[in-house]
Every structure is written in C-alpha cells, then in structure tokens.
Amino acid sequence: MVNQMSEGPDFDAIQEKRNGELYDMLKHRQVKRLQQTLEDMKEFDVAEFLTELGEEDSNKMAVVFRLLSKERAAEVFANLEAPEQEAIINSITDVELAGIIEEMYVDDAVDMMEELPANVVKRVMRNATPETRNLINQYLKFPDNSAGSIMTAEFVDLKKYMNVRESFARIRRIGEDKETIYVCYVTARDRTLEGVVTVKDLLLADDDDIIENIMDRDVIFATTTEDQEEVSEKFSDYDLLAIPVVDKENRLVGIVTVDDVIDVMEQEATEDIEKMAGTLPSDKPYSRTSAVEIWKLRIPWLMFLMLSATFTSMIINSFEDALNAQTVLIGFIPMLMGTGGNSGSQASTAVIRSLSLGDIEPSDVLAVIWKELRTAFLCGITLAAINFVKMLLVDARLMGNDDVTVIVAATVSLSIIGIVLFAKVVGSTLPIVAEKLGVDPAVMANPLISTITDTVSLLIYFCMATSLLHI
Amino acid sequence: MVNQMSEGPDFDAIQEKRNGELYDMLKHRQVKRLQQTLEDMKEFDVAEFLTELGEEDSNKMAVVFRLLSKERAAEVFANLEAPEQEAIINSITDVELAGIIEEMYVDDAVDMMEELPANVVKRVMRNATPETRNLINQYLKFPDNSAGSIMTAEFVDLKKYMNVRESFARIRRIGEDKETIYVCYVTARDRTLEGVVTVKDLLLADDDDIIENIMDRDVIFATTTEDQEEVSEKFSDYDLLAIPVVDKENRLVGIVTVDDVIDVMEQEATEDIEKMAGTLPSDKPYSRTSAVEIWKLRIPWLMFLMLSATFTSMIINSFEDALNAQTVLIGFIPMLMGTGGNSGSQASTAVIRSLSLGDIEPSDVLAVIWKELRTAFLCGITLAAINFVKMLLVDARLMGNDDVTVIVAATVSLSIIGIVLFAKVVGSTLPIVAEKLGVDPAVMANPLISTITDTVSLLIYFCMATSLLHI
C-alpha cells in the first residue's frame, strides 16, 4: 500500500479525494455544488457519506439527505442501515416520508420495516398509500428467509402474443422503475407464468417476431415459501440474473434479483459461521451490535457447554485413584482433549459446509463415514507416532521426567488413535443426522462436538491407562 | 416432502421426471429425441446428467456428450468438473477438442487449465489457435485469486462518438458470444476506459443520442492484480452485473461478471470456514477429495496444536504439588479450558467474518477490544455466578463431594471471569493484528486461539488456586 503510484489507477484514492471535496463543500456551504455532486455519485457512496456524517451529527446527516432529489432519496435511503433510516425518518416531514416510501422497491421497504422499531413502522405505514400498505403487509407475512420475503414486485411482464417491437415499447414505457429489465416474464391472463425472455433474446430477434416463438418455456423458478438458500443455489447453478417467484397456483407474484441473492449468500455464510462457533445468529453486523446484545447471543452456548463439562469432572473424579497412582497422566489431559476437539471440528466443518453448498447429501452418510474413518486412521497414526517419539525424547530425556516411561508414552499414543477416530466419525456424522432430522446442521456447532469428544476422549484415555498400566 | 400436491408447482419433481425420460431415451436408443431434449435443456442440467452418467460409465458419458451441437458442447463442458472434463478430452478427437476450446469463454478455459493434469493441458493447448493460446497463457500469469485470473475477454466495447442506433447495431452484431451485453464499456483509441453505458440507458435514450452524453464516466472498476474478495465487495456494495478490469495504464483488458463473483463468494466463505477450523484451504469440493488429500490438509494444524500442548503439560507438571494437595481442582480443568476456548473462538469468529465483509477495519481495534471487554465481563460474571451456585448445590450437596468447599467454588468461579476476559480479548485482537500485518485473519484459526487460551487459562487457574487456597 506504500507505493500506489506504480499500481496504476487507484479506486480507493479516487473515492477518498471525492469525500474530501464533499466535506469542503459542506464546510463552505456550497449547497448547489454539493447537491450536484451527490446527484452524480453512486447511491452506495452517498449512503456511506451520510453514515459517516451521522456518526458526528445526525442532524447534519438529515440536512444533507434532504438535498437529494425525490428518486435519489429513495434509492439512497434503501442503502442505509436501520439506525440511520430511523434518524432520517424522525427528522423529515410526512410528505417527504410518503414520497420515499412510494419510490422504494417493495423488497427494500419490507427489509426496512423488519428492522425499525414499532412506533416508526406505524408512522411509515400511516404515510403510505393504501396499495403500498397492502403490498408491504402481504410481503411481511411470508416466512423469514423465504423467497417471498426477499422478492420484489417490480418486474416487466409481457404477453406471448406481443411482437418484439411491442415488447421493447412496453419495456421503455414501464422499465424505468423496475429492478431489472433484462429478464422479462411472459404471463397468461390469469397471471400464471408461461415463459421467460431476455432483452438479449429480443435484441437478437427481428422486430416482428412473436414472443411466443422466442420465449423459453423451461423456466427456472422459485416458490414463495422456498428457502432463500435454495434460491441462491439456483442462481449459482444456472447463472441467473433474476428468478421468478410463483405462488401455489403458479401465478407470478414477484422476482428475486441477483443483487439480493448476493446479500443472501453473505448472510447465510455468516450465519453458518456464527453457529459453528457456538453463537446464536444475528441479523445485525458486529459493529452495530452492542455488548449486551452480543452477550445474549453468546451466553446460551457458553452456559450449556460449561454445565455439560460436569461430565468431564465426574469422569476425572471417578478415576481419581488411578490419577493419584500415576500423576504423570494428568499433564496429557489437555493435549488429548484438544486433539479430539480439533479433529472433530475439522470434520464437522467440512461436512457442514459441503451440505450447505449441496456438495453432499444426507444419503451420502456411509461414504462420508468411510472417508472420515480412513482420514482419521491416517491422522491418528501420524499423531501417535510423533507423540510417542516426542514423549520419549523431550519429556523423558530432555526434561528428565522419569515418570514418562515407554508404557506411559504408549498409553497416550494409543489413546490419540482412538480419540481421533471417534472425533472424526462423530464430527462428520452429527451434522448429517441433523440435516436428516430437518435441523440446521450448523447447529451441531463445533463447541458441542468438542464437548462430546472431550468426554469420550477422557474415557478412552482412562480405560487405556487402567488396562495398560494396571492401575 | 410427503404431500407435494398442496405445495403447488414442484421444481425438483419436474427435473426428476425429465431425467427419467432421458434415461429411457438412452435405453431405447432414441438418439434424435435425446439430442433434441439435450439441446433444449439448461447447460447446468446437461452437465449434471452427464456427471451422473459418468459415475456409471465414462464411455457412455462421452458418447452422449458428442451428441451436443458445437456451441452447446462448449457451454456444457464449462459446467463440468475437472475429472469429467478430463475423461471427455481423452475420448474426443483433436478437431472436436479444438472446436470446444475456441467456443469457450476465456475465463472458463483458464479455470479448466488450472485444474487439469499437465499432459492434458498440453494436448488442449496444442489444439488451440495461436491467438487463443496466447490469451490463455496471458491469463494464467495473473496471480491466483486476482481479478485478472477470473476475468474474461468477451465484453462489448463502444466508442463515445457512436449514437444509440449504431450502438445497438454493434451489440446485435457482436453480442451473441459475449458473457454479458447489458453493460457496455466505452473505450478510447488506446483502449483506456472512458465510461460505461447499460442497455437500459440505451433503451431509455433516443436513437440519435450520442454515447458520450449518456455514458457514466464515474466507473466502478477493478485492477488486474486486485484481490477477488475486494472485487466481490464492489459487486455487493454497488449492485453490479459486471465490473471492468483495467491494467496499470487504465486500459480495459477484461470484465468480471456477476455469476463468476457468486462462485468467488462461495469459495472465499468456504476458505474462511476451513481456515477457522484449522484446515488448510482446498480448491476441490469435499466429495471429490480423497482421504489422503484430506489428511494432508488437516494434519499440519493437528500436529502443530498437539505439540504446542506441551506447554499445558509443563504447567500442570509444575503445579503438581498443588494439585496433589487439592486433587478436587483437577476435575475442573477441562471445563475451564473449554470455556476459555469457546469464548475465544466466539470472539475470533465474529471479528474474522466482520473483517472479511468489510464491516470493521483494522483501525477499529480499540473499539473492538472495548466491546469485547464489556461482553467478556457480562459473560464472565454470568458464568461465574451460575458455576458458583452449581458447584455448591450439585457438586457439594447433591453428589456429596466434601472437597468442594466455598473457597474452592470461589477459586473456580473467579478463574472463569479471568479466563473469559483473556480469551475474548485475545480472540478478537489476534485476527486484527493479522490483518494489519497483511496476513489472512482466518489463519488465526480458532484452534490456535484455543491453544493459547488453554495455556493461559491453566496459569490463571493455578495462580488463583495457590493464592486463595494457600497451597
């Protein structure tokens, strides 16, 4: 980052310079120039600039926001996070608010409603037209994370008897406010979906060609109640720009566009990662989540795992005599538990991710176990061999610990093999079982698997010790 | 899944039925009908069908593949995984191979080259035209995971003096083979990028409007050496369908389209998840990775973590006398280490993910530490209180363990507070330090953080015990 000169054009530098200029205009009250610059900027950049302003002074943010033209205001507004949206709603008039709501895409409006506090939602709804209010209410009824909850109503529909010229005329007439114009949907009179035609198809066809003859009848579609993760899989499989969403009667009710799917993918990956680490999933970014909220997300698993460690205490207590006879064994407990935990979470992580990407199915369970058994055998043998040599060379020789005998080293090393085998099989099987039961496999969090392997690791170790060392 | 009737249109059922028909045609050697059906199917579905066939008999797969028309063959080929691509290359003629290579998009061809064995790559290259060979070689030189390595050369370029009518004529003429026609790039004579214009802009403009007047000069672009993760962030920020990639002289050399970015996002999330779980990242899906390959990915971290547990052994050994005096303390070691490890990985996971989504920056380190300290304090107090009550009620009363005194319960509970505080701060700080040093924060894998907190947890526990219990 030191020598950007040699790197060619620098995207970040351009943006920083532009933001500096914005602050200058604001300082020198060059309202006209500021207004013009904001009008030319990308909505995301305006939203970022407003957020930055709002961190200093939310009043200033609202003042600058009101400089935007009506359409821009709605687009920028959709790019803001909930706290900024709330601050702005609280400082604009009902008329301005109504203007923004009517200009927003339904999916953005619904997103916003889901995050704003109830009293603000009330004010927004009061200022929407009855049609918009109905539409929003209808969308809010779809289950969380369903295709219905992320779709939008702003699509271009065509009829199969239209020709290409008429279609282009329609796209030009209604296209301005649509989320995408590049994929158009052909519907019957009862609104059932009959086909799909892209602007590329239209451009490569003749003006007099009839839609019916160029449309694709084999449409990739989603249903309103379908999980958003499945929807995003279809985008990645079929390289879609948009997908039509139909209801039970196969009527076209909305579309999901690729930009929303990108957000869904980020959100789903984040949720999986959070669950794997034993945190409840959150719908807010980390930087926006307060310490108390984070505490609420993290404490349930911590508490559960702490209390379930009662089993490990009980096992250790019941083997107290054996441990007193051979205190050297105590020192290897952390290493064995750690190795078990790590082996298990490696396996569970691989399986959870593969399930979520559709790379493996629950029916592959036997193949997965077989693969993990072989992997575990290789890992176990390697670790055991290295540990055996290390204990005799380092612990016994180098550090002169006479209690570390060959038989003790063998006990620990053989335990490693058993523990790794157990951990890999449990780590890979539990997520698949969860998926089969219809539970999110990521809930088989790595910490949970660690706790199970901790308990069993100790049992394996102590059984090995009592039988090999005759204690 | 039992009663699909009430669910309305069923996507999966339609596909299954179609695949059944394909097998029937194959069985009854209805070549013409099979050919026609394959021609009408989505490329992804044909690729899936071929892969399924190949699992039984790779010869059959190659025979069906050769039924495809030339353009379809290239598209389907790009949708196949490396093993199937290799099998097909090995069973087609040089002429057929040449046809496929020339029809493929450069980015797909480059992807393929990176995964095929050297002798197959040689045969492919020998059959490509000199231009294609040069282009592929040039792309292969870009660093892994850079914008250059995922871009494609098939874009529509316009000149700023063209009018809308001329632009549409050009799009119609050259558009068929381009990865996207919806975003067109305006370049100068020296190929530097001057602006961007979408087909939507063109459709909403008049036929005689000049490109210069409708194009957007404020282009969101990427540079060839830019990391693919930054590229995908730009797509998510600005809702792009494609991004132009420029070289150091600001010359347009390629574009990255949104479908490739979706793959990048999946790949990056998978890599982060793998690294967090202490596995080396793999570029192959789990189902395609052999046990030996998985062993190679997993054993380095397992070995490192096993050996670094030597520290915990050393600590336990050096406090042996204290433990012998109060054997009751041993039973709580696993619980304390587990609590430390889980607290740490919750924090590191949240921070790693936020860094990778651009939600926090390394400069936020103090704010992050402050937030984690408060969270840790809340978590620590809660866990300590519950543990204190639990030890006195369950361990002492219920299980009648007389060694669990109030002072022992206090020792363990106070240790929990210290351990959680330490774990959360280390877990959140290390990934940020890594990012600042230019190292991937995900490499601060949760297992590594667990090992560090394991060691310190024991130290905190034993110090607390020696001072409170005077042993």
Side-chain angles (χ1 to χ4, degrees), chain A residues 6-9 11 14-15 42 44-45 168 172 175-176 178 181-182 198-200 203-204 216 218 220-221 223 234 236-239 241 246-248 258-259 262 265-266 269-270 273 276-279 285-287 289 291-292 294-295 298-299 302-303 305-307 309-310 312-313 316-317 320 324 327 330-331 334-335 337 342-343 346-347 349-350 353-354 357 359-360 368 371-372 374-375 378-379 382-383 386-387 390 399 401 416 424 447, chain B residues 6 8-9 11 14-15 40 42 44-45 168 172 175-176 178 181-182 198-200 203-204 216 218 220-221 223 225 234 236-239 241 246-248 258-259 262 265-266 269-270 273 276-279 285-287 289 291-292 294-295 298-299 302-303 305-307 309-310 312-314 316 320 324 327 330-331 334-335 337 342-343 346-347 349-350 353-354 357 359-360 368 371-372 374-375 378-379 382-383 386-387 390 401 416 424 447:
Chain A
S6 66
E7 289 288 324
F11 188 81
I14 297 171
Q15 295 223 315
K42 308 270 177 270
F44 174 80
D45 291 334
F168 270 127
R172 285 199 173 91
E176 181 123 43
K178 303 304 177 190
I181 62 160
Y182 301 130
T198 66
V199 163
K200 186 171 180 174
L203 280 174
L204 298 178
D216 183 357
D218 177 20
I220 307 292
F221 64 90
T223 51
K234 285 178 186 165
S236 117
D237 286 348
Y238 296 101
D239 295 348
L241 295 182
V246 299
D247 65 10
K248 284 182 196 163
V258 69
D259 53 304
I262 285 184
M265 290 179 61
E266 279 185 355
T270 305
I273 291 173
M276 283 186 219
T279 308
Y286 177 80
S287 63
T289 320
V292 174
I294 298 180
W295 168 74
R298 292 185 187 171
I299 197 71
L302 283 181
M303 205 143 53
L305 295 170
M306 182 184 79
L307 292 176
T310 306
T312 52
S313 308
I316 290 182
N317 288 337
E320 210 183 315
N324 279 335
T327 45
I330 304 173
M335 183 272 283
M337 287 174 44
N342 294 331
S343 302
Q346 285 181 334
T349 302
R353 185 66 183 159
S354 301
L357 291 180
D359 172 43
I360 57 173
V368 170
K371 185 177 280 189
E372 288 295 334
R374 282 175 300 155
T375 308
L378 291 171
C379 288
T382 322
L383 294 175
I386 293 170
N387 177 68
K390 177 241 158 195
M399 310 211 283
N401 189 340
I416 289 180
K424 292 261 181 233
Chain B
S6 67
F11 188 81
I14 296 171
Q15 295 223 315
D40 291 341
K42 308 271 178 268
F44 174 80
D45 291 335
F168 271 128
R172 287 198 172 94
E176 181 125 42
K178 304 304 178 190
I181 62 160
Y182 301 130
T198 65
V199 163
K200 185 171 183 175
L203 280 175
L204 298 178
D216 183 358
D218 178 20
I220 307 293
F221 64 90
T223 52
T225 53
K234 285 177 185 165
S236 118
D237 287 348
Y238 297 102
D239 295 348
L241 294 182
V246 299
D247 66 10
K248 285 180 194 166
V258 69
D259 53 302
I262 285 183
M265 289 178 62
E266 278 186 354
T270 305
I273 290 173
M276 283 185 216
T279 307
Y286 177 78
S287 64
T289 319
V292 174
I294 298 179
W295 169 73
R298 293 185 185 169
I299 197 72
L302 284 180
M303 203 142 56
L305 295 169
M306 182 184 78
L307 291 176
T310 307
T312 50
S313 307
M314 282 164 58
I316 290 181
E320 208 183 316
N324 278 335
T327 45
I330 303 174
M335 184 272 283
M337 287 175 41
N342 293 331
S343 302
Q346 284 181 335
T349 301
R353 185 65 184 159
S354 301
L357 291 180
D359 172 45
I360 58 172
V368 169
K371 184 176 280 188
E372 287 295 335
R374 283 176 298 154
T375 308
L378 290 171
C379 289
T382 321
L383 294 175
I386 293 169
N387 178 67
K390 177 241 157 195
N401 189 340
I416 289 180
K424 292 262 181 232

Side-chain angles (χ1 to χ4, degrees), chain B residues 217-364:
Chain B
R217 287 159 205 276
D218 178 20
V219 186
I220 307 293
F221 64 90
T223 52
T224 46
T225 53
E226 191 169 329
D227 192 84
Q228 61 179 12
E229 207 162 358
E230 282 173 46
V231 176
S232 77
E233 234 173 81
K234 285 177 185 165
F235 272 82
S236 118
D237 287 348
Y238 297 102
D239 295 348
L240 304 175
L241 294 182
I243 198 169
V245 183
V246 299
D247 66 10
K248 285 180 194 166
E249 279 76 43
N250 196 27
R251 284 181 309 220
L252 180 61
V253 287
I255 62 170
V256 176
T257 47
V258 69
D259 53 302
D260 297 319
V261 164
I262 285 183
D263 296 340
V264 164
M265 289 178 62
E266 278 186 354
Q267 186 195 329
E268 292 280 339
T270 305
E271 274 186 17
D272 277 4
I273 290 173
E274 287 170 339
K275 285 184 201 152
M276 283 185 216
T279 307
L280 298 181
S282 153
D283 49 6
K284 270 203 271 186
Y286 177 78
S287 64
R288 300 262 179 181
T289 319
S290 73
V292 174
E293 288 168 312
I294 298 179
W295 169 73
K296 280 189 199 153
L297 298 169
R298 293 185 185 169
I299 197 72
W301 269 109
L302 284 180
M303 203 142 56
F304 171 79
L305 295 169
M306 182 184 78
L307 291 176
S308 62
T310 307
F311 294 113
T312 50
S313 307
M314 282 164 58
I315 293 171
I316 290 181
N317 288 337
S318 65
F319 283 90
E320 208 183 316
D321 296 338
L323 287 176
N324 278 335
Q326 287 274 357
T327 45
V328 65
L329 293 177
I330 303 174
F332 299 103
I333 291 178
M335 184 272 283
L336 289 172
M337 287 175 41
T339 302
N342 293 331
S343 302
S345 37
Q346 284 181 335
S348 65
T349 301
V351 168
I352 291 170
R353 185 65 184 159
S354 301
L355 283 170
S356 114
L357 291 180
D359 172 45
I360 58 172
E361 302 285 328
S363 56
D364 300 328

Side-chain angles (χ1 to χ4, degrees), chain A residues 135-156:
Chain A
L135 202 56
I136 291 175
N137 273 328
Q138 198 184 312
Y139 275 54
L140 283 172
K141 273 186 219 133
F142 290 113
D144 255 11
N145 302 333
S146 66
S149 74
I150 55 167
M151 70 183 182
T152 187
E154 287 88 357
F155 53 84
V156 178

